[in-house]
Amino acid sequence: EVRLVESGGGLVQPGGSLRLSCVGSGFTFSSSWMHWVRQAPGKGLVWVSRVKSDGTYTNYADSVKGRFTISRDNAKNTLYLQMNSLRAEDTAMYYCAGGDSGYQIFWGQGTLVTVSS
Amino acid sequence: EIVLTQSPGTLSLSPGERATLSCRASQTVSNSYLAWHQQKPGQAPRLLIYHVSTRATGIPDRFSGSGSGTDFTLTISRLAPEDFAVYYCQQYSTSSLTFGGGTKVEIK
C-alpha cells in the first residue's frame, strides 16, 4: 500500500519559518518525482513545488519562489519543504504528492500550516 | 502561466445521470498534458485521469476524459453515490503547473 505521511505543520507568526516533512512507503520513492500542493481553507488546489527523483531539478510557483525550498533524502524516503518569510496567505493544508514529473499519482493526507500573529 | 477555467462551478445532478465537466485553458496545453483529480470533503485529492484520457489505476470506466488544445472535458457516464465530490483539472505542459478552480458535483 502506498503511503505518504506529512508532518511539521502548525501555527507560526508572519515572517517565521517552518519545515514540512513527508515520509513515503509502499513505492519506489527514489524513482518518483515529488510535489507539494497546497489548499487554503475552502479554496482550490495550488501547486507549490516539485523535485526530480534524484534531487537534481526543482522548480517553484512564483508565489513561493525565493522563500520556499524543496529537497529530498532518498535514503530516508523523505521529502521536505523549508518555508521561510511566511505570510498570512501561505495559510493552507499542504499536501505531499508523488509520481510523475507533471501529475500527482498518489497523495498524502496533508499537514495544516497557519500563519497568524 | 496557463490559467485553467472550469465550468460550471457547481453541477446539481441525481445518481444515475450523466455529468459533463469543462476545463478551458488560456493557451494551448501541449502534448495532451492534462489531468483530472477528484476530492471529497475532508480527504486528499485522488488522480482520476492523466494525458487527457488515460484512467489512473483502479478508476472505473464510467469516468472518461477528452479534448485537445484549449478545451477539455471530464465525463461521468452514470453518477454513482460516491462520485459526488469536487473535480479539478490540472495542466503540466509548462514548468509552472496549474490547477483549475474546481467543479463541485452535488446531489440534486
Side-chain angles (χ1 to χ4, degrees):
Chain A
E1 179 195 5
V2 171
R3 288 197 75 198
L4 290 169
V5 180
E6 301 95 334
S7 61
L11 175 64
V12 61
Q13 292 189 338
S17 298
L18 215 52
R19 187 174 87 152
L20 307 183
S21 300
C22 170
V23 178
S25 60
F27 67 103
T28 308
F29 184 88
S30 59
S31 298
S32 301
W33 283 73
M34 296 299 296
H35 303 251
W36 287 101
V37 177
R38 68 185 182 184
Q39 186 171 36
K43 302 296 184 182
L45 302 173
V46 176
W47 174 78
V48 172
S49 181
R50 64 179 169 176
V51 59
K52 192 178 177 182
S53 54
D54 61 4
T56 59
Y57 173 86
T58 61
N59 74 310
Y60 301 88
D62 287 345
S63 58
V64 306
K65 202 172 296 183
R67 300 188 299 124
F68 289 12
T69 302
I70 191 171
S71 62
R72 64 192 298 161
D73 184 340
N74 286 345
K76 296 181 178 179
N77 281 7
T78 303
L79 175 73
Y80 302 100
L81 186 68
Q82 177 67 44
M83 304 187 296
N84 298 330
S85 303
L86 282 161
R87 307 166 180 166
E89 54 265 35
D90 296 318
T91 293
M93 183 72 78
Y94 283 74
Y95 293 102
C96 158
D100 186 78
S101 60
Y103 56 92
Q104 301 77 23
I105 299 174
F106 29 81
W107 297 73
Q109 288 303 305
T111 186
L112 182 63
V113 172
T114 303
V115 184
S116 175
S117 54
Chain B
E1 174 178 295
I2 296 179
V3 176
L4 299 177
T5 302
Q6 293 188 240
S7 61
T10 302
L11 200 50
S12 298
L13 295 168
S14 300
E17 288 193 296
R18 181 184 188 90
T20 302
L21 287 65
S22 173
C23 175
R24 179 161 291 176
S26 60
Q27 55 188 278
T28 296
V29 175
S30 57
N31 301 311
S32 298
Y33 284 171
L34 187 110
W36 291 90
H37 301 267
Q38 176 195 65
Q39 187 178 33
K40 298 178 182 179
Q43 295 187 18
R46 176 176 71 145
L47 176 68
L48 295 177
I49 284 173
Y50 59 97
H51 292 345
V52 173
S53 59
T54 303
R55 279 187 299 277
T57 301
I59 302 303
D61 60 7
R62 64 178 180 273
F63 290 92
S64 63
S66 62
S68 64
T70 60
D71 289 298
F72 302 90
T73 300
L74 175 69
T75 302
I76 310 171
S77 59
R78 292 173 306 279
L79 281 164
E82 62 268 28
D83 298 338
F84 292 92
V86 180
Y87 293 83
Y88 295 94
C89 58
Q90 181 226 334
Q91 68 80 25
Y92 46 100
S93 68
T94 64
S95 61
S96 182
L97 313 183
T98 52
F99 288 88
T103 290
K104 181 180 181 180
V105 179
E106 65 175 23
I107 299 176
K108 186 174 181 180

